[in-house]
Amino acid sequence: MNRDSLSKRFSASRVMLLARNRAYDDAPALGIGLAIVAGLNLLSIMIGDRAFMNGDGDLTYMGLIVFAGFMLSSQAFKGMHGRTGADWILLPATPLEKYAAAFVSYLVAFPIAAAAGATALSFVLAMIERAAGGPGSGIWHPFTVAALKAYGEYAAVAAAFLAGSAAFRKRAFLKTAGLSVGFVLACSLLAYLGLSIVYGTTGFRGLSISYDTGIVTVGGTELTGADAVERVLRWLVTVVRLVFVPAFSVAFGYLKVAEKEARDEVQ
């Protein structure tokens, strides 16, 4: 960090330094997790000549990466709470830079590094599997439509866990997950009431809404793609899930970081 960067209100170099420090802090735990995954797969090769994760690569590798990213995101601002809050204040960076470092670390750097590590592990396991007499053909990689779609979903939820980490001092993961479930239930209730108003006079019962696909089922019958209500609901679900929730989470998370730092500076 040089004198020029210290004089700037926002410095990308400071953000990168903070992100690098986060990577150093997270690396041991991630290394242990990777070693455990590798060990379990080597054990499955010894027993059945197959690496179990390579056999179901898309779901298993992506699931582990997503879960690890959520856990890391939910702990992103743990350092600014409690006894370590003074150390957090003394970091030579603005609240925006501190938030940006966490955002870059867990929504950009971690998914890329984890996907690269998973691909390398999958390749090594495939070679060992082939040497042990197995097929050795199941090499996972993130360059698929399913993986790219999963990243979009991951980024939206990880932003919410960042906000939860900034808001909650303890058990941020559980509290954020609980609030997310409550939000989904509230949205479901609003959608149910709206559809009840639209279809209440026709005698339809048993409304069902899929937040993953936006498909609406009324009285056991799926509404057709040409139905205006379904089109509107699909649009609303997409906007809420992929635009409103991430945007609100980013704004709320940053404001909580700035509020906490301003309050501690006054004290």
Side-chain angles (χ1 to χ4, degrees):
M1 187 179 299
N2 54 39
R3 184 174 300 175
D4 291 337
S5 66
L6 287 173
S7 64
K8 296 179 180 178
R9 294 181 62 86
F10 182 87
S11 171
S13 63
R14 287 200 295 264
V15 172
M16 292 299 104
L17 284 172
L18 291 172
R20 185 194 65 182
N21 291 340
R22 284 184 175 275
Y24 288 157
D25 292 339
D26 296 334
L30 294 176
I32 293 172
L34 187 63
I36 292 173
V37 170
L40 291 173
N41 279 274
L42 289 174
L43 182 61
S44 71
I45 292 175
M46 292 174 61
I47 294 174
D49 297 335
R50 297 287 180 93
F52 75 94
M53 285 183 64
N54 278 8
D56 191 19
D58 278 348
L59 294 177
T60 310
Y61 282 108
M62 284 194 299
L64 286 175
I65 291 172
V66 167
F67 179 74
F70 290 166
M71 292 299 296
L72 289 172
S73 298
S74 69
Q75 299 293 314
F77 300 109
K78 184 179 180 180
M80 79 176 189
H81 300 294
R83 297 178 181 178
T84 55
D87 295 335
W88 173 272
I89 291 293
L90 293 175
L91 287 173
T94 65
L96 179 59
E97 290 166 344
K98 293 173 183 178
Y99 181 85
F103 186 95
V104 169
S105 294
Y106 302 127
L107 273 76
V108 181
F110 170 76
I112 294 174
T119 301
L121 175 62
S122 180
F123 175 79
V124 172
L125 290 173
M127 296 300 100
I128 296 174
E129 181 182 301
R130 184 174 299 179
S137 57
I139 301 176
W140 180 83
H141 61 84
F143 304 107
T144 64
V145 174
L148 294 176
K149 181 180 178 181
Y151 171 75
E153 301 286 349
Y154 163 83
V157 179
F161 277 110
L162 281 180
S165 177
F168 302 119
R169 190 165 76 102
K170 295 181 178 180
R171 293 180 285 276
F173 181 86
L174 293 177
K175 291 178 180 179
T176 305
L179 283 176
S180 299
V181 172
F183 176 75
V184 172
L185 291 176
C187 289
S188 300
L189 178 60
L190 287 175
Y192 177 85
L193 292 175
L195 288 172
S196 296
I197 293 173
V198 173
Y199 292 102
T201 58
T202 64
F204 283 120
R205 294 295 183 271
L207 300 177
S208 174
I209 308 163
S210 171
Y211 277 88
D212 183 43
T213 62
I215 293 175
V216 182
T217 302
V218 182
T221 303
E222 180 182 323
L223 300 183
T224 63
D227 193 289
V229 174
E230 184 188 7
R231 291 201 306 271
V232 171
L233 188 61
R234 281 178 179 270
W235 180 82
L236 286 175
V237 168
T238 301
V239 169
V240 170
R241 186 178 60 185
L242 299 180
V243 179
F244 172 77
V245 170
F248 174 81
S249 298
V250 169
F252 179 80
Y254 163 67
L255 290 175
K256 290 299 292 184
V257 171
E259 177 193 16
K260 179 68 167 61
E261 187 147 331
R263 184 169 64 247
D264 289 350
E265 284 179 347
V266 171
Q267 295 174 353

